[in-house]
Amino acid sequence: MIKKLLICTFISLLSINVNAQGKIYQIYSSNGELLDEKQLFESINQAEVTFFGELHNNSVAHWLQLQILKNLKENQKDIILGGEFFERDDQLNIDEWLEGKITDKNFEAEAKLWNNYIPDYKPLMLFAKQNQIPFVATNIPRKYASVVSREGLGSLETFSKEAKKSIAPLPIEVDMTLPGYEGMKGMMHGSGMNADFMVEAQAIKDATMAYSLFEFINKKKSIFHVNGSYHSNNYEGIVWYLRKEYPKIKILTIATVEQGDTTSLLEASKGIADFIIVLPTDSPKSY
């Protein structure tokens, strides 16, 4: 299955469209100004926390994440890689693997891997391991988010102290008026599910991912965090929770979008992040 995935990705790369500059993507500022990689890298190196909002299945976006991590390694002494793609209760497995105490086979058998871990996230993890970059798993365990989606945030109060170690300290504030959360509620209309509970499930993910970074912010580390775009677009989600605790922190956000024409940024995508990376709709996908 994994071999088939890698072959499909390679074939897609061979057939992808390129723009006039010979690139398959374009980088834009928040207001739609065309930029280059140097401007992006310079800004990232000045930030305390960078959020890369990805499209989970876009292979070009994952390659760009690796380039950013390499640049950070060249220019920063104390960097931390963090990611939504691992849950907090997998941290021990991750640490043991990074330290070379357990094999790839054992790690990948025991950790809760996303389906596209091998082609999309493992290159990041291998670079971190080879260059002694710590990794922090930031996501709430899915089973707890699932409980919230069915029963609401209050249900988490009944769990044990051990379980709560993998969750942001309760209770958390949820601002239902944030546009992203309001948009979620709108999408849930007519679904038969409790829209407020679904928003609370999203919020506990955002709050937990933000909380997972507090320790490293206090240690003055430079943080590069990988997450789905919806968790950081419009400076909401994780960013909103982080700024509640650290209002003056230097945060930089990156969003990724797909367009049929990458030569200009669509109006709908302006303002969603500090940098918007536009990828062609025929970008290679891992699933």
Side-chain angles (χ1 to χ4, degrees):
M1 177 63 182
I2 292 170
K3 185 176 180 181
K4 183 178 179 182
L5 248 175
L6 293 171
I7 292 171
C8 289
T9 300
F10 177 71
I11 291 171
S12 297
L13 283 167
L14 291 178
S15 61
I16 194 170
N17 291 329
V18 296
N19 57 40
Q21 289 75 39
K23 298 186 294 186
I24 59 176
Y25 61 91
Q26 294 281 31
I27 302 170
Y28 293 93
S29 67
S30 183
N31 63 7
E33 178 187 358
L34 184 62
L35 304 173
D36 59 28
E37 288 82 357
K38 182 180 178 182
Q39 291 165 294
L40 174 64
F41 290 156
E42 286 177 350
S43 295
I44 291 172
N45 282 309
Q46 293 171 12
E48 294 174 76
V49 185
T50 297
F51 290 101
F52 191 114
E54 66 180 25
L55 302 173
H56 291 315
N57 67 343
N58 191 296
S59 299
V60 179
H62 292 295
W63 177 83
L64 284 167
Q65 290 166 354
L66 182 58
Q67 308 320 303
I68 290 171
L69 186 61
K70 288 179 178 179
N71 182 269
L72 274 169
K73 177 60 181 174
E74 287 180 6
N75 293 281
Q76 302 281 348
K77 289 183 179 179
D78 294 318
I79 61 174
I80 295 288
L81 174 63
E84 175 192 7
F85 56 94
F86 274 117
E87 298 168 11
R88 281 171 59 88
D89 55 357
D90 260 330
Q91 190 65 56
L92 179 60
N93 279 329
I94 294 165
D95 291 343
E96 290 172 341
W97 176 75
L98 287 173
E99 293 165 9
K101 293 178 178 177
I102 61 175
T103 65
D104 278 23
K105 183 178 180 180
N106 289 140
F107 170 61
E108 291 170 11
E110 294 187 24
K112 298 186 292 295
L113 303 180
W114 285 12
N115 290 339
N116 59 325
Y117 171 77
I118 299 297
D120 289 339
Y121 299 104
K122 189 171 181 178
L124 277 173
M125 297 298 288
L126 285 173
F127 184 82
K129 183 177 183 179
Q130 291 159 3
N131 291 274
Q132 298 181 313
I133 299 171
F135 177 87
V136 56
T138 62
N139 208 356
I140 184 174
R142 184 175 298 182
K143 59 185 178 181
Y144 300 140
S146 180
V147 169
V148 175
S149 71
R150 298 191 308 272
E151 303 175 22
L153 266 173
S155 60
L156 293 180
E157 297 286 3
T158 65
F159 281 82
S160 67
K161 289 183 179 180
E162 187 65 25
K164 290 176 183 176
K165 289 179 182 179
S166 297
I167 305 170
L170 300 170
I172 66 162
E173 179 183 353
V174 182
D175 185 349
M176 291 286 186
T177 68
L178 289 174
Y181 291 162
E182 284 192 331
M184 276 193 70
K185 288 185 71 172
M187 288 187 288
M188 300 306 299
H189 182 70
S191 68
M193 293 183 279
N194 187 307
D196 285 347
F197 288 175
M198 294 301 293
V199 170
E200 289 180 354
Q202 180 81 355
I204 194 62
K205 291 179 183 180
D206 293 332
T208 299
M209 284 190 270
Y211 173 72
S212 300
L213 303 178
F214 291 178
E215 173 188 351
F216 305 99
I217 292 170
N218 293 335
K219 291 179 179 178
K220 306 297 182 184
K221 304 289 186 180
S222 178
I223 300 169
F224 180 51
H225 189 269
V226 171
N227 52 266
S229 278
Y230 204 85
H231 289 290
S232 54
N233 277 1
N234 299 304
Y235 310 99
E236 296 179 22
I238 311 170
V239 180
W240 189 85
Y241 281 102
L242 200 62
R243 281 190 169 148
K244 275 177 59 65
E245 187 74 14
Y246 301 94
K248 296 182 179 180
I249 194 168
K250 295 178 182 177
I251 295 174
L252 182 141
T253 61
I254 300 167
T256 47
V257 298
E258 291 183 349
Q259 296 180 186
D261 179 4
T262 65
T263 58
S264 64
L265 182 65
L266 294 178
E267 285 295 324
S269 294
K270 290 182 179 179
I272 64 174
D274 297 311
F275 291 87
I276 299 98
I277 298 175
V278 178
L279 305 160
T281 52
D282 62 353
S283 299
K285 308 294 195 299
S286 53
Y287 62 89

